[in-house]
Amino acid sequence: MMNTKSTERLLDVRGLTVEIDGRNGPAVVVDGIDLHVDKGETLGVVGESGCGKSLTMLSLMRLLPNKIKVTKGSATFDGRDLQTMSNGELRKVRGGDIGFVFQDPMTSLNPVMRVGDQICEPLIYHRGMKKAGARARAVELLRLVGIPGPEERLQAFPHELSGGMRQRVMIAIGLACNPKLLIADEPTTALDVTIQAQIVDLVKDLRAKLGMSVVWITHDLALIAGLVDRVAVLYAGTVVEDAPVDELYARPSHPYTRGLLSSIPKLSDPPASRLSSIGGTPPEPGRRPKGCPFAPRCPLVEAVCHEKVPRLEPLSGSSHRAACFVVQRMQEAA
Ligand SMILES: Nc1ncnc2c1ncn2[C@@H]1O[C@H](COP(=O)(O)OP(=O)(O)OP(=O)(O)O)[C@@H](O)[C@H]1O
Ligand SMILES: [Mg+2]
């Protein structure tokens, strides 16, 4: 098949570092992340709870909570630096060219504002629509995300909706302005599996229609396998592996990714062996080991892993990269 996709870079994150100002001084939670998304591309970001997925994305939008800040690195969107642009410029990008679906709809929807007004707001602010036009578009968006009786739902307050409905409202808001980039942070966790699949299909469809790029954050690699072009695997605030999705499934390289993939249950597995999760827990912020952050849990660990931090390096010159001394050495030997 011919690759017709352009490879123009839309989002480019380099060495992004985020620190939390805690009681025992600053602690690194996002440690020099490199991520990129090309125009029209969909990137899946996976990793277990607490590995820094949400903080990474919030830092791009400069929406980090109090006492958490970016201390190093850069992020450019469409050639413009997100970290240094003025607040006014950033407001134009946020919710306009970059649509965001936050992980927790209850804290990101305004509890005292009707759902319809919350969907209309970006349309009026970013796209200069008149109220009537914006309402018509809001109805269309609610229908698109599978909300029945959308005209009546516009009048509802967030607390009058179920968790799944609120999540769909968030998705409608994220998509409202036909963004160039949609960043979706666990957008379907509160939904039934059938609805999850519908939302994945909806995003696929819109991506094809609008040429939108997507960053989809999840724990659930299986859910997004058919949606994403490429996957970045995060561990303890760093990217430990990234590769085209088929390549990642065919040849997972980093021991952490291999652990993640073998913990995806297969129907053919006997029930008892379905969740073979990785032993141990990730390091707490402020207690990062000196070397590779995965070393304390790694089945392949060697002396060097406790001493030095491995860099993300291409494997055999391909677009598949892994940050692991052992994997890199095996590649060289091969
Ligand atoms: N407001 C906060 N105050 C203090 N620590 C925080 C705060 N938000 C996040 N953290 C810490 O920062 C680290 C990264 O958090 P983050 O929310 O980015 O993880 P995540 O990968 O999105 O996890 P999940 O899959 O559970 O959403 C975690 O150790 C978390 O405990
Ligand atoms: Mg999160």
Side-chain angles (χ1 to χ4, degrees):
M1 201 171 70
M2 234 178 62
N3 188 3
T4 51
K5 224 171 259 172
S6 87
T7 52
E8 224 176 310
R9 199 130 293 184
L10 185 64
L11 178 73
D12 201 355
V13 179
R14 297 207 185 163
L16 188 81
T17 303
V18 176
E19 293 183 22
I20 298 190
D21 220 354
R23 241 179 296 149
N24 308 320
V28 170
V29 277
V30 172
D31 191 13
I33 273 189
D34 290 323
L35 283 177
H36 64 90
V37 185
D38 290 334
K39 288 194 177 156
E41 187 182 41
T42 297
L43 174 73
V45 176
V46 295
E48 66 203 315
S49 190
C51 71
K53 302 181 295 294
S54 295
L55 289 186
T56 299
M57 299 308 154
L58 289 172
S59 67
L60 298 183
M61 296 285 86
R62 301 205 326 236
L63 292 172
L64 287 173
N66 233 343
K67 300 205 167 174
I68 304 186
K69 53 181 188 295
V70 173
T71 53
K72 270 186 243 161
S74 68
T76 52
F77 171 74
D78 226 359
R80 296 156 73 205
D81 190 332
L82 291 170
Q83 300 296 315
T84 58
M85 70 171 56
S86 70
N87 288 332
E89 275 180 288
L90 188 70
R91 264 197 300 276
K92 284 190 208 142
V93 173
R94 204 157 56 196
D97 285 344
I98 302 184
F100 211 110
V101 183
F102 294 94
Q103 187 167 10
D104 179 2
M106 219 32 201
T107 54
S108 37
L109 288 173
N110 184 338
V112 295
M113 199 173 167
R114 291 180 199 279
V115 159
D117 293 333
Q118 299 193 53
I119 305 175
C120 289
E121 202 171 49
L123 293 167
I124 294 167
Y125 177 78
H126 291 290
R127 297 295 180 245
M129 289 176 87
K130 295 276 184 298
K131 199 150 184 209
R135 288 192 86 74
R137 168 87 176 130
V139 168
E140 185 190 313
L141 284 160
L142 288 185
R143 195 168 286 131
L144 212 57
V145 296
I147 293 190
E151 284 88 356
E152 296 85 76
R153 296 292 180 178
L154 289 184
Q155 302 303 322
F157 289 100
H159 73 268
E160 296 172 311
L161 302 177
S162 69
M165 290 286 173
R166 283 197 290 266
Q167 215 161 32
R168 284 189 254 182
V169 168
M170 288 294 302
I171 295 167
I173 294 173
L175 293 169
C177 294
N178 291 343
K180 290 181 183 163
L181 174 66
L182 176 72
I183 299 179
D185 190 354
E186 306 264 7
T188 62
T189 42
L191 305 178
D192 302 336
V193 271
T194 45
I195 310 284
Q196 289 196 7
Q198 276 172 29
I199 299 285
V200 168
D201 284 343
L202 168 71
V203 170
K204 244 186 195 171
D205 208 42
L206 288 172
R207 185 185 56 177
K209 271 192 206 135
L210 305 172
M212 174 173 81
S213 304
V214 182
V215 176
W216 188 295
I217 300 168
T218 185
H219 294 108
D220 188 350
L221 203 47
L223 173 74
I224 59 165
L227 171 76
V228 301
D229 300 306
R230 207 154 45 75
V231 178
V233 180
L234 255 64
Y235 183 78
T238 61
V239 177
V240 294
E241 181 160 5
D242 70 358
V245 62
D246 297 340
E247 167 74 15
L248 190 90
Y249 269 97
R251 275 172 292 277
S253 294
H254 195 284
Y256 176 64
T257 314
R258 288 195 226 164
L260 269 188
L261 285 177
S262 68
S263 62
I264 293 177
K266 292 186 209 75
L267 281 176
S268 55
D269 291 347
S273 74
R274 278 197 191 159
L275 282 175
S276 59
S277 62
I278 309 162
T281 51
E284 278 172 48
R287 296 188 179 197
R288 303 176 69 80
K290 181 174 159 213
C292 172
F294 190 60
R297 297 169 80 182
C298 183
L300 303 181
V301 67
E302 296 180 351
V304 61
C305 310
H306 292 299
E307 293 303 318
K308 293 202 291 185
V309 181
R311 291 165 55 94
L312 198 57
E313 306 269 7
L315 302 179
S316 55
S318 67
S319 52
H320 186 167
R321 303 189 298 170
C324 172
F325 291 122
V326 179
V327 169
Q328 286 163 5
R329 200 193 55 231
M330 273 157 38
Q331 280 281 317
E332 276 161 26

